Amino acid sequence: GVSPFCVASSNMPDTPPLDRRGWGLGYAHVLPDELFMQIISFFGPKELLSASCISPYFYLCCQEDDLWKDAFIRNRDLTGGIKFKSTWKITTLFPGDTPVPEHFTRPQHRFANIYSLYLYSKWYRSHMDVSKFGSDTGLLERRDAATFPLQEFIDNYDFVSRPVLITGTTRDWAAPMNWTRDNLVAKYGDALFKVSDRGNKKVRITLREYLNYIDTQRDEDPLYIFDSGYGERIPDLLKDYDVPSFFPEDYFEVLGSKRPSYRWLVIGLEVKFFDSVKIN
């Protein structure tokens, strides 16, 4: 496995760790891992398989599932959906209904004395439980929709840009009852939905396959359903909710035929927001 370099230093304070990275990457060892991984992110499946045979360090770098995900999305027509198979490497090499050989489902090789803070951080972010990191300090004012007059909201909050959390706006919606996992799969399991933007590539996946994906994936940056056209394709979904009375105006109406996308169906993991941590 991969450990951060600082662990190696603390475990062996008087002995420098074996430099598998130096001899494993050759002249490329002068590049930081972030830049090296950016370069091999342009590799296709054949190049990733070939490079993984060079050295243990190359092998571990080429096992990064984000590389395989990007290669899969770059090199395939995904308008007809994705059939995810536990990892993006397996999904790429054995697409669709292609059977997966037994040896591809075994755990990957493990090597001692491999140290990379970058690779370890990617693994850590995709496996740690962040559900306990959120906190509600109670500083944000809350008002119940049933006892919150619209004019008070306009005068005392909206007009003066004062934040407030309005609770209870979904009490009369049918969505909480109708939009359970089992109900959605039964009604719309084979419907195609647009996946969160992956560059200029249109990626669509059936709801059934997407739910299978989120059950089995370990992505650092997972895919989300982020679909602005669901209302036109599945109008029954629009019947299960309505716009809260606090927002009666539809300002996009003035744009007529130039009206931009204004509603999205978002489905994804309950807690998985590491992009801001990774980038900032």
Side-chain angles (χ1 to χ4, degrees):
V2 179
S3 298
F5 190 82
C6 59
V7 173
S9 301
S10 62
N11 287 344
M12 300 174 290
D14 300 321
T15 306
L18 178 66
D19 185 17
R20 278 187 179 270
R21 185 183 188 279
W23 64 261
L25 291 183
Y27 290 119
H29 83 278
V30 299
L31 304 175
D33 282 338
E34 293 86 343
L35 181 55
F36 177 73
M37 293 296 289
Q38 182 64 35
I39 292 173
I40 67 174
S41 70
F42 294 99
F43 285 7
K46 291 182 179 179
E47 291 80 12
L48 288 172
L49 285 174
S50 297
S52 67
C53 299
I54 295 175
S55 70
Y57 205 89
F58 258 99
Y59 173 84
L60 289 176
C61 289
C62 292
Q63 300 310 304
E64 278 298 306
D65 225 28
D66 281 345
L67 297 177
W68 289 94
K69 176 172 64 176
D70 291 341
F72 179 83
I73 291 174
R74 257 197 329 265
N75 293 286
R76 294 189 179 277
D77 177 11
L78 302 177
T79 56
I82 302 172
K83 189 167 186 178
F84 185 74
K85 299 180 178 180
S86 71
T87 70
W88 285 105
K89 180 179 180 180
I90 293 177
T91 303
T92 302
L93 296 177
F94 307 100
D97 296 323
T98 306
V100 180
E102 188 273 335
H103 64 274
F104 267 89
T105 62
R106 299 171 187 165
Q108 66 181 36
H109 297 298
R110 299 181 64 86
F111 301 98
N113 301 315
I114 299 283
Y115 305 107
S116 168
L117 180 59
Y118 175 76
L119 292 177
Y120 177 80
S121 297
K122 287 177 67 65
W123 174 87
Y124 185 74
R125 287 193 293 263
S126 62
H127 286 77
M128 71 180 295
D129 178 13
V130 297
S131 60
K132 299 179 181 179
F133 281 68
S135 63
D136 181 2
T137 61
L139 294 178
L140 182 61
E141 184 177 359
R142 295 169 178 261
R143 296 292 299 271
D144 190 285
T147 58
F148 192 18
L150 173 60
Q151 195 59 47
E152 182 184 354
F153 167 71
I154 294 173
D155 295 340
N156 298 338
Y157 296 89
D158 188 27
F159 185 73
V160 297
S161 300
R162 178 182 171 188
V164 61
L165 180 61
I166 306 174
T167 62
T169 58
T170 64
R171 285 194 184 100
D172 298 327
W173 288 7
M177 180 176 61
N178 294 342
W179 290 16
T180 65
R181 177 168 177 152
D182 290 342
N183 285 346
L184 288 174
V185 170
K187 293 181 179 179
Y188 314 114
D190 296 323
L192 286 170
F193 292 91
K194 184 179 181 296
V195 172
S196 49
D197 186 28
R198 310 298 299 183
N200 296 322
K201 192 83 179 254
K202 289 184 178 180
V203 181
R204 298 190 182 278
I205 188 171
T206 66
L207 180 61
R208 194 186 314 278
E209 288 297 341
Y210 180 75
L211 295 176
N212 172 67
Y213 160 73
I214 64 174
D215 285 342
T216 56
Q217 63 79 42
R218 300 297 299 187
D219 291 352
E220 179 191 9
D221 179 20
L223 299 177
Y224 286 81
I225 287 179
F226 203 83
D227 196 321
S228 61
Y230 72 96
E232 289 71 30
R233 298 195 313 276
I234 312 176
D236 282 351
L237 289 174
L238 302 178
K239 301 175 183 178
D240 290 337
Y241 69 93
D242 51 33
V243 178
S245 59
F246 296 93
F247 311 104
E249 299 90 355
D250 182 0
Y251 296 118
F252 282 151
E253 279 187 337
V254 300
L255 299 177
S257 61
K258 296 183 179 179
R259 180 190 187 98
S261 298
Y262 64 99
R263 62 189 176 204
W264 288 265
L265 178 67
V266 182
I267 303 177
L269 300 176
E270 183 177 2
V271 178
K272 203 71 171 181
F273 294 103
F274 278 114
D275 276 1
S276 60
V277 177
K278 177 177 63 176
I279 294 172
N280 297 328

PDB file of all heavy atoms in Angstrom, residues 242-253:
ATOM      1  N   ASP A 242     -43.820  21.386  -5.558  1.00  0.00           N
ATOM      2  CA  ASP A 242     -44.110  22.696  -6.134  1.00  0.00           C
ATOM      3  C   ASP A 242     -43.178  23.732  -5.511  1.00  0.00           C
ATOM      4  O   ASP A 242     -42.512  23.477  -4.505  1.00  0.00           O
ATOM      5  CB  ASP A 242     -45.579  23.086  -5.914  1.00  0.00           C
ATOM      6  CG  ASP A 242     -46.007  22.953  -4.473  1.00  0.00           C
ATOM      7  OD1 ASP A 242     -45.164  23.181  -3.563  1.00  0.00           O
ATOM      8  OD2 ASP A 242     -47.172  22.622  -4.231  1.00  0.00           O
ATOM      9  N   VAL A 243     -43.143  24.906  -6.118  1.00  0.00           N
ATOM     10  CA  VAL A 243     -42.264  25.972  -5.636  1.00  0.00           C
ATOM     11  C   VAL A 243     -42.861  26.560  -4.363  1.00  0.00           C
ATOM     12  O   VAL A 243     -44.054  26.883  -4.327  1.00  0.00           O
ATOM     13  CB  VAL A 243     -42.113  27.066  -6.708  1.00  0.00           C
ATOM     14  CG1 VAL A 243     -41.233  28.209  -6.187  1.00  0.00           C
ATOM     15  CG2 VAL A 243     -41.517  26.471  -7.988  1.00  0.00           C
ATOM     16  N   PRO A 244     -42.084  26.729  -3.305  1.00  0.00           N
ATOM     17  CA  PRO A 244     -42.611  27.318  -2.069  1.00  0.00           C
ATOM     18  C   PRO A 244     -43.208  28.704  -2.315  1.00  0.00           C
ATOM     19  O   PRO A 244     -42.744  29.451  -3.185  1.00  0.00           O
ATOM     20  CB  PRO A 244     -41.381  27.394  -1.159  1.00  0.00           C
ATOM     21  CG  PRO A 244     -40.478  26.313  -1.662  1.00  0.00           C
ATOM     22  CD  PRO A 244     -40.685  26.271  -3.141  1.00  0.00           C
ATOM     23  N   SER A 245     -44.217  29.033  -1.544  1.00  0.00           N
ATOM     24  CA  SER A 245     -44.937  30.301  -1.737  1.00  0.00           C
ATOM     25  C   SER A 245     -44.067  31.524  -1.489  1.00  0.00           C
ATOM     26  O   SER A 245     -44.440  32.641  -1.864  1.00  0.00           O
ATOM     27  CB  SER A 245     -46.150  30.344  -0.797  1.00  0.00           C
ATOM     28  OG  SER A 245     -45.731  30.232   0.562  1.00  0.00           O
ATOM     29  N   PHE A 246     -42.913  31.346  -0.886  1.00  0.00           N
ATOM     30  CA  PHE A 246     -42.024  32.474  -0.619  1.00  0.00           C
ATOM     31  C   PHE A 246     -41.326  32.977  -1.881  1.00  0.00           C
ATOM     32  O   PHE A 246     -40.702  34.029  -1.877  1.00  0.00           O
ATOM     33  CB  PHE A 246     -40.966  32.072   0.425  1.00  0.00           C
ATOM     34  CG  PHE A 246     -41.545  31.735   1.760  1.00  0.00           C
ATOM     35  CD1 PHE A 246     -41.873  30.425   2.081  1.00  0.00           C
ATOM     36  CD2 PHE A 246     -41.810  32.726   2.686  1.00  0.00           C
ATOM     37  CE1 PHE A 246     -42.422  30.106   3.314  1.00  0.00           C
ATOM     38  CE2 PHE A 246     -42.368  32.419   3.919  1.00  0.00           C
ATOM     39  CZ  PHE A 246     -42.683  31.114   4.232  1.00  0.00           C
ATOM     40  N   PHE A 247     -41.424  32.212  -2.945  1.00  0.00           N
ATOM     41  CA  PHE A 247     -40.755  32.591  -4.204  1.00  0.00           C
ATOM     42  C   PHE A 247     -41.762  32.559  -5.352  1.00  0.00           C
ATOM     43  O   PHE A 247     -41.658  31.730  -6.262  1.00  0.00           O
ATOM     44  CB  PHE A 247     -39.597  31.634  -4.477  1.00  0.00           C
ATOM     45  CG  PHE A 247     -38.703  31.449  -3.282  1.00  0.00           C
ATOM     46  CD1 PHE A 247     -38.769  30.293  -2.518  1.00  0.00           C
ATOM     47  CD2 PHE A 247     -37.815  32.446  -2.901  1.00  0.00           C
ATOM     48  CE1 PHE A 247     -37.957  30.122  -1.405  1.00  0.00           C
ATOM     49  CE2 PHE A 247     -36.998  32.284  -1.788  1.00  0.00           C
ATOM     50  CZ  PHE A 247     -37.069  31.119  -1.035  1.00  0.00           C
ATOM     51  N   PRO A 248     -42.739  33.463  -5.340  1.00  0.00           N
ATOM     52  CA  PRO A 248     -43.817  33.417  -6.339  1.00  0.00           C
ATOM     53  C   PRO A 248     -43.400  33.924  -7.713  1.00  0.00           C
ATOM     54  O   PRO A 248     -44.000  33.544  -8.718  1.00  0.00           O
ATOM     55  CB  PRO A 248     -44.901  34.312  -5.735  1.00  0.00           C
ATOM     56  CG  PRO A 248     -44.125  35.296  -4.901  1.00  0.00           C
ATOM     57  CD  PRO A 248     -42.962  34.516  -4.345  1.00  0.00           C
ATOM     58  N   GLU A 249     -42.376  34.777  -7.771  1.00  0.00           N
ATOM     59  CA  GLU A 249     -41.997  35.354  -9.056  1.00  0.00           C
ATOM     60  C   GLU A 249     -41.110  34.409  -9.852  1.00  0.00           C
ATOM     61  O   GLU A 249     -40.259  33.718  -9.295  1.00  0.00           O
ATOM     62  CB  GLU A 249     -41.250  36.681  -8.863  1.00  0.00           C
ATOM     63  CG  GLU A 249     -42.040  37.750  -8.166  1.00  0.00           C
ATOM     64  CD  GLU A 249     -41.862  37.702  -6.662  1.00  0.00           C
ATOM     65  OE1 GLU A 249     -41.179  36.750  -6.196  1.00  0.00           O
ATOM     66  OE2 GLU A 249     -42.398  38.560  -5.960  1.00  0.00           O
ATOM     67  N   ASP A 250     -41.316  34.376 -11.144  1.00  0.00           N
ATOM     68  CA  ASP A 250     -40.474  33.616 -12.052  1.00  0.00           C
ATOM     69  C   ASP A 250     -39.771  34.618 -12.960  1.00  0.00           C
ATOM     70  O   ASP A 250     -40.267  34.994 -14.007  1.00  0.00           O
ATOM     71  CB  ASP A 250     -41.318  32.636 -12.876  1.00  0.00           C
ATOM     72  CG  ASP A 250     -40.470  31.782 -13.806  1.00  0.00           C
ATOM     73  OD1 ASP A 250     -39.231  31.952 -13.803  1.00  0.00           O
ATOM     74  OD2 ASP A 250     -41.028  30.968 -14.549  1.00  0.00           O
ATOM     75  N   TYR A 251     -38.611  35.073 -12.531  1.00  0.00           N
ATOM     76  CA  TYR A 251     -37.924  36.137 -13.257  1.00  0.00           C
ATOM     77  C   TYR A 251     -37.430  35.698 -14.631  1.00  0.00           C
ATOM     78  O   TYR A 251     -37.196  36.532 -15.509  1.00  0.00           O
ATOM     79  CB  TYR A 251     -36.747  36.645 -12.422  1.00  0.00           C
ATOM     80  CG  TYR A 251     -37.159  37.287 -11.122  1.00  0.00           C
ATOM     81  CD1 TYR A 251     -36.750  36.750  -9.900  1.00  0.00           C
ATOM     82  CD2 TYR A 251     -37.962  38.419 -11.103  1.00  0.00           C
ATOM     83  CE1 TYR A 251     -37.137  37.330  -8.699  1.00  0.00           C
ATOM     84  CE2 TYR A 251     -38.355  39.012  -9.909  1.00  0.00           C
ATOM     85  CZ  TYR A 251     -37.939  38.459  -8.712  1.00  0.00           C
ATOM     86  OH  TYR A 251     -38.330  39.035  -7.526  1.00  0.00           O
ATOM     87  N   PHE A 252     -37.265  34.413 -14.835  1.00  0.00           N
ATOM     88  CA  PHE A 252     -36.807  33.932 -16.138  1.00  0.00           C
ATOM     89  C   PHE A 252     -37.879  34.067 -17.219  1.00  0.00           C
ATOM     90  O   PHE A 252     -37.578  33.925 -18.407  1.00  0.00           O
ATOM     91  CB  PHE A 252     -36.369  32.467 -16.053  1.00  0.00           C
ATOM     92  CG  PHE A 252     -35.005  32.286 -15.437  1.00  0.00           C
ATOM     93  CD1 PHE A 252     -34.694  31.125 -14.736  1.00  0.00           C
ATOM     94  CD2 PHE A 252     -34.032  33.259 -15.574  1.00  0.00           C
ATOM     95  CE1 PHE A 252     -33.446  30.951 -14.174  1.00  0.00           C
ATOM     96  CE2 PHE A 252     -32.773  33.098 -15.018  1.00  0.00           C
ATOM     97  CZ  PHE A 252     -32.475  31.948 -14.317  1.00  0.00           C
ATOM     98  N   GLU A 253     -39.113  34.309 -16.829  1.00  0.00           N
ATOM     99  CA  GLU A 253     -40.186  34.444 -17.812  1.00  0.00           C
ATOM    100  C   GLU A 253     -39.921  35.568 -18.805  1.00  0.00           C
ATOM    101  O   GLU A 253     -40.351  35.506 -19.960  1.00  0.00           O
ATOM    102  CB  GLU A 253     -41.522  34.697 -17.108  1.00  0.00           C
ATOM    103  CG  GLU A 253     -42.190  33.445 -16.582  1.00  0.00           C
ATOM    104  CD  GLU A 253     -43.583  33.730 -16.043  1.00  0.00           C
ATOM    105  OE1 GLU A 253     -43.864  34.885 -15.675  1.00  0.00           O
ATOM    106  OE2 GLU A 253     -44.390  32.770 -16.006  1.00  0.00           O
TER     107      GLU A 253
END
